[in-house]
Structures are given as C-alpha cells and as structure tokens.
Amino acid sequence: MNRKETTHFGFQEIPIEEKAHKVAEVFHSVASRYDLMNDLMSFGMHRLWKRFLIELGGIRPGMKILDVASGTGDLARSFSDLIGNNGHIILADINSSMLTQGRERLINLGKVENPSYVQANAECLPFPANYFDRVTIAFGLRNVTRKEVALRSMYQVLKPGGQLLILEFSKPASWLTPLYDVYSFQLLPRLGKLVTGDADSYRYLVESIRRHPDQESLQRLIQSTGFDHCDFYNLSHGIVALHKGYKY
C-alpha cells in the first residue's frame, strides 16, 4: 500500500494536494484587512523591509518584472513608478481575493499603464522562458507547497543576468527568540481575532514562519535550483531576511 505524500500546513501534516486550497482559505478570509494587519503586527516595519528589497533590486526604466504572491500590490506600486511606461510589471497570485485587492488598490492609485494581473501558481508560472529582468516574492514563499519547484519555475522565466529577490520571515537572533515567541504565539492570534475576526489564520501565519527554512537552509535551496551568487541580508535582527540570486 502506497503511503500518501504529506506536507506541513502550519504545525499540521496534511496531504500535499490539500495545501494550496487550505492556504487559499486563509487569504480569502483576511484579504480585506490584510494591509491593516500588516501595519499593526509589524509596527509598520514591513514598509521598510520592502523598501530595502526595492533599493537592492536596482530597478530601471523599461524592465519587465514579475511579482509572485503579489498580494495587495505594495511592491508593484513602487515598481510601476520606477520602470515607467515602457516597462511592465505583472502581479501574480494564486489567490483571487488577494489579486482583486491588489488590482483595485493600484487602480485607485492611478496605476493603470503598466501593471497586468495573472492568477497563477508559483510552482508552474505561465510565462515565457527568459522573459523577466526581475522576479520578486515577498512573504509568500513559505506558503508554497513545493518551494524547490517554485524556485525552478522562477528561474525558468528569468532572463540570463536576471535577479531573484525573496523577502521572507526567517530565524531571529537567539537573544530575541523568547520575546518573539511570546508575541507571535500569544499576541498575534488575538490581534487577528480583534481586527479580522479570524484568530486561526494568524495562528497559521505564526506556525508557517516556524516551519519555513532558516536563512542558511533557504540559501542552499535557492542555489540548488540553479541560482548563482546567492546571498541574504538579515533585517530586524533576523526576523526577516532578504535573499537574492542571479540567473547566468
């Protein structure tokens, strides 16, 4: 008898084919209050983390950029200004509610010239090979069922010389861990319940962070999928890390 392949959903082990659906339920639930919760639970720091990614990315006019797990479009808004009318930014997200939030937000901001929107799974990106100058993913990789498959898909659609940028929660410094655990496991679900009416989704958020590879492990995984000159930068004492890699 063949044993069914499983993966983690937070601290649970579930059949691998169920994860995408369960993650989708989480983000359908919180989409309308997602930006507010990001500001509250990070004390606004997520804006600085994303700004660091944008600065490190060396975005120039005319570039083609793919923002995977684009959410409500924070990165895309800044990319749109930097690439100009001759560039192109595609927001891709597996979750229709998040993609709708991102599209409405950018339209309200007057960003109608260069963004496109595609509902897509990071593991099988429906774009031409060697097409994008940059591929970015911010706080989305930990929700992907098969990270190595997604990374290979991102590698395929990048141009030679193109850059991958991953912003994700990571492993904080040891002196910070006890306080971080109290905040994460005790306060965040309560905040999620208060603001969104959904404590379980933010409990999953915390658990998914703990199950995500640490800085060195993720760097090795990125390298193993073909990327070169890989490096990472710890932000806020390692609570978040920015990883980068190049396709040559």
Side-chain angles (χ1 to χ4, degrees):
M1 182 177 176
N2 292 331
R3 188 175 179 181
K4 209 167 192 178
E5 190 176 2
T6 64
T7 188
H8 61 82
F9 176 75
F11 289 162
Q12 302 176 50
E13 285 292 321
I14 61 171
I16 197 166
E17 65 272 13
E18 293 181 10
K19 181 166 181 176
H21 174 69
K22 292 180 80 67
V23 170
E25 289 179 335
V26 168
F27 286 95
H28 284 311
S29 174
V30 304
S32 64
R33 310 303 296 275
Y34 184 78
D35 290 327
L36 175 60
M37 274 298 295
N38 277 351
D39 279 330
L40 292 173
M41 68 185 185
S42 74
F43 304 101
M45 290 296 296
H46 74 100
R47 299 177 185 276
L48 298 179
W49 300 331
K50 290 169 183 171
R51 186 181 301 171
F52 184 69
L53 181 153
I54 293 162
E55 291 176 354
L56 195 69
I59 310 300
R60 299 187 300 276
M63 279 188 167
K64 297 182 178 70
I65 302 174
L66 173 63
D67 187 27
V68 182
S70 57
T72 56
D74 273 353
L75 289 178
R77 176 176 58 178
S78 297
F79 291 153
S80 179
D81 292 332
L82 293 168
I83 62 178
N85 293 337
N86 293 325
H88 191 198
I89 168 72
I90 295 180
L91 289 77
D93 203 299
I94 195 172
N95 187 279
S96 60
S97 296
M98 296 296 288
L99 201 60
T100 297
Q101 289 286 327
R103 183 174 183 273
E104 291 178 353
R105 184 180 183 194
L106 291 184
I107 289 173
N108 289 339
L109 291 168
K111 309 295 184 184
V112 296
E113 295 297 330
N114 54 39
S116 298
Y117 308 87
V118 177
Q119 187 172 355
N121 188 328
E123 296 180 18
C124 47
L125 295 168
F127 306 109
N130 306 314
Y131 184 77
F132 294 101
D133 299 287
R134 300 286 185 272
V135 174
T136 62
I137 178 168
F139 304 112
L141 187 62
R142 70 180 186 283
N143 297 312
V144 175
T145 304
R146 297 175 297 178
K147 296 176 180 61
E148 70 285 355
V149 175
L151 289 167
R152 283 196 291 268
S153 186
M154 294 177 206
Y155 183 89
Q156 182 178 17
V157 301
L158 263 177
K159 291 178 180 178
Q163 185 179 8
L164 170 70
L165 294 155
I166 301 172
L167 188 65
E168 189 55 271
F169 292 108
S170 201
K171 185 177 180 179
S174 58
W175 64 266
L176 184 57
T177 299
L179 181 62
Y180 185 56
D181 284 346
V182 170
Y183 173 70
S184 299
F185 287 104
Q186 297 186 26
L187 297 183
L188 267 189
R190 295 177 186 175
L191 184 62
K193 177 69 173 177
L194 179 66
V195 175
T196 70
D198 185 352
D200 288 343
S201 290
Y202 285 92
R203 192 170 293 110
Y204 160 75
L205 166 71
V206 173
E207 293 176 358
S208 70
I209 292 169
R210 296 307 188 275
R211 294 297 300 265
H212 187 67
D214 62 20
Q215 291 90 323
E216 290 79 10
S217 298
L218 182 56
Q219 183 179 20
R220 288 193 294 270
L221 182 60
I222 295 168
Q223 289 172 327
S224 74
T225 54
F227 289 95
D228 204 349
H229 287 74
C230 299
D231 202 357
F232 67 84
Y233 304 82
N234 281 324
L235 307 176
S236 300
H237 304 287
I239 289 175
V240 167
L242 177 62
H243 287 259
K244 69 173 183 178
Y246 294 85
K247 177 178 179 176
Y248 287 110

